[in-house]
Amino acid sequence: MKKNIITSVEITDSHIKVLQSKILKGKTVVCSCDIHSIREHSDEEIEHVLVAVFEDKKILTEDIVLVISRRLAFVKYMRLPSNNDVEIKKMIGLQLVNNMPYSQDEILFKPYILERERSGYTKLLVLIVQKEIVSRYLKLFEKVGIVLSQVTLSSIGILNWFIYQESENRKKIKDAVVLVNIDVLHSEICFCCHDRLFFSRSVNYGSNDLSEGKIESLVEQICLSIDAYKKENMGPDIGRLKIVSDLPQASSFKDRLEDALKIEVAVIAPFTNVLCQKNMHFAGIKNFTGISLAVGLGLILSDIRGLVNFTPQEVHDNKEEKLRRMKWIRTLALFILAFSLLLGIFGLELYQKKLYLEQLKKRINEAAPEVRAAIDKKLIVEVLDKELKSRVFIPDLIDEIYDLTPEMISYRSLFLTGDNVFTAQGFSESGSSVNDLRANMVKSRMFKEVNLQFATRRKLYKAEVIDFKITAVLDDRKQD
């Protein structure tokens, strides 16, 4: 099953109703509807039906909401002198001690805030269920293999169905609306306005009682509920009443209520405005009449994360403990797997390195003769290089002198000693030419320690010339 599937399970005195919804193309649609009748309401009978349903649907751990019928719960309206949630909870506990036939250890209660007044008072409903009832259903589901984490009241399902209908109609009614959800054996009366439930009550009259002889009793119970709502000033004024049923008899019931209450009354079927998947499975629904699915529809068409939840805290604690334990087990398993993987990688690397080393040794042995020959050639080249570097290459020296010599210079002799001392003697018709020659030799990379030994004037025939002598040392570093 996909993760976006939400399942609601409603167990009444006469039937077990299982509905499912999922997201298709961004919209919530009902995808399954199963109804099974029960007679004895025993644990064995309920377990048998749940096994059949859950095995057929292959439901594992999707979001499942169990619905407790309103007739199995208590709803008390209170107005307490505090706006603090902790104080409110303590005050509720003190109030329930004197107003409930059960001890606090035997019940589960949830405050449902209606309004926080500026005066410091808070209006709220206290929703109360016996622990024994919740524990019974939790054990039944555990036998099926499902740990429930959401247990809510049928009134909350009707409220969510009302909110869904308002959103589909794209309008909000300012006054309170009385919803009369008619099921087979019981009917539930809810007072809703916008997104709040202001009061609810269950009466022992259902679709089987919409006959002329019993309809007056149901009308009377509705009138008594409205009178109690008004007397306690529980919420906004009542603007209209809606009968949630798809029975033909609901039309005459509507007329009777309009005469008795003098307010607008409408009949609306549970599946009104509800999208259903094509070829949806409607197991059992065609075989039953007078069954209302508004509670289950309201739950699967809404966000179940914000529901009033009667699941005991120890169930949540156990679930969190199991999740933590599973997390540790997964972490340990991942650690062992990672460690094994590292060992495997390390062993593989060692094996690969061993193979590579053997291949390398083989290649070294194969290349040894060539390496020895290359070493011998290298030694020969080094000897020749050293020998050649210690010698002066005369053509290079002559080319360098030729490039450095000005036009007015004439040489008588060029002499190079064994210790790389170079001597140049000659004459020039201009003294500046001698200086230029010396400057050029200083700049040259081939010479260092350039010295002008002498430069003397003398007459040569009718012209005057300058005899000169320049010495320098050849720079071995610049001959490479």
Side-chain angles (χ1 to χ4, degrees), residues 333-346:
L334 289 174
F335 176 78
I336 294 174
L337 181 62
F339 184 72
S340 302
L341 185 61
L342 287 175
L343 287 179
I345 293 173
F346 182 70

Side-chain angles (χ1 to χ4, degrees), residues 3 17 65 193 221 327 335 340 349 408 423 429:
K3 290 184 178 179
K17 313 168 191 176
V65 183
C193 186
Q221 292 297 322
K327 184 178 180 181
F335 176 78
S340 302
E349 288 182 352
M408 304 294 291
T423 303
E429 296 180 5

Side-chain angles (χ1 to χ4, degrees), residues 293-359:
L293 300 176
V295 173
L297 290 173
L299 294 174
I300 64 173
L301 296 174
S302 61
D303 186 358
I304 65 172
R305 291 174 296 181
L307 296 177
V308 175
N309 192 359
F310 284 101
T311 308
Q313 186 59 41
E314 53 265 25
V315 174
H316 296 290
D317 295 339
N318 291 337
K319 189 173 183 179
E320 290 179 1
E321 180 62 29
K322 288 181 181 179
L323 290 175
R324 282 195 295 267
R325 194 180 300 118
M326 290 299 298
K327 184 178 180 181
W328 277 109
I329 292 173
R330 285 195 297 268
T331 303
L332 181 61
L334 289 174
F335 176 78
I336 294 174
L337 181 62
F339 184 72
S340 302
L341 185 61
L342 287 175
L343 287 179
I345 293 173
F346 182 70
L348 181 62
E349 288 182 352
L350 286 178
Y351 178 72
Q352 290 177 339
K353 287 180 179 178
K354 183 179 179 181
L355 288 179
Y356 179 73
L357 183 60
E358 291 177 355
Q359 293 176 357

Side-chain angles (χ1 to χ4, degrees), residues 426-462:
F427 61 90
S428 173
E429 296 180 5
S430 170
S432 61
S433 297
V434 176
N435 292 330
D436 291 342
L437 175 61
R438 179 182 176 279
N440 291 341
M441 291 179 68
V442 170
K443 295 177 181 179
S444 173
R445 298 177 60 196
M446 185 173 285
F447 301 103
K448 65 180 181 179
E449 299 180 19
V450 180
N451 294 308
L452 179 61
Q453 299 293 329
F454 63 82
T456 59
R457 295 179 181 274
R458 69 180 180 87
K459 285 191 179 277
L460 181 64
Y461 301 105
K462 296 182 179 181

Side-chain angles (χ1 to χ4, degrees), residues 231-248:
K231 182 179 178 181
E232 295 292 335
N233 192 24
M234 296 180 184
D237 294 336
I238 298 171
R240 64 181 67 184
L241 185 146
K242 292 187 177 182
I243 302 169
V244 183
S245 176
D246 53 7
L247 290 174

